[in-house]
Amino acid sequence: MEKTIILDDTLIPVDEYLEEKINGLRRISVKFKVTSGNYHDITTLLYKGTFVVKVPNTEEAFKASIDQYSTSITNLYEKGNVGVFSLSLLEAVN
């Protein structure tokens, strides 16, 4: 299992990783923890919606957009809170 992905230049440690093909396009689904300390940086990154995705173990890179996104908790602005983000990225058609 992959332990990290890189969105643009941001390294994200992941707890779950699934890669599949949807109509010939790569789809990566991950779950990762977000703390109150890195909440702002992660959500600001995700607001971009489209990224260069790198999978370090395969040395692959491709452009992808958010297909699905959810979080287990919405009050991560409160110090000490930790949430789990679920994120699916679908390869962009060139």
Side-chain angles (χ1 to χ4, degrees):
M1 180 187 93
E2 296 297 328
K3 297 189 186 298
T4 59
I5 62 169
I6 300 169
L7 300 183
D8 291 340
D9 292 321
T10 302
L11 181 71
I12 299 177
V14 299
D15 297 315
E16 293 182 29
Y17 178 94
L18 173 67
E19 187 170 340
E20 57 192 330
K21 291 278 187 174
I22 306 289
N23 296 324
L25 300 174
R26 285 179 276 201
R27 180 178 182 202
I28 292 179
S29 299
V30 294
K31 289 189 178 185
F32 58 97
K33 291 180 182 73
V34 176
T35 65
S36 57
N38 67 355
Y39 170 71
H40 180 266
D41 292 339
I42 293 295
T43 55
T44 299
L45 172 68
L46 294 179
Y47 283 138
K48 291 174 58 179
T50 301
F51 318 91
V52 172
V53 179
K54 296 177 187 167
V55 182
N57 284 345
T58 65
E59 298 182 14
E60 293 183 57
F62 59 96
K63 191 172 183 177
S65 296
I66 294 176
D67 186 45
Q68 294 180 4
Y69 163 71
S70 64
T71 181
S72 65
I73 189 171
T74 57
N75 62 346
L76 282 169
Y77 52 87
E78 292 181 17
K79 188 174 181 174
N81 284 348
V82 177
V84 175
F85 279 33
S86 297
L87 177 66
S88 292
L89 302 162
L90 185 62
E91 184 176 17
V93 178
N94 293 332

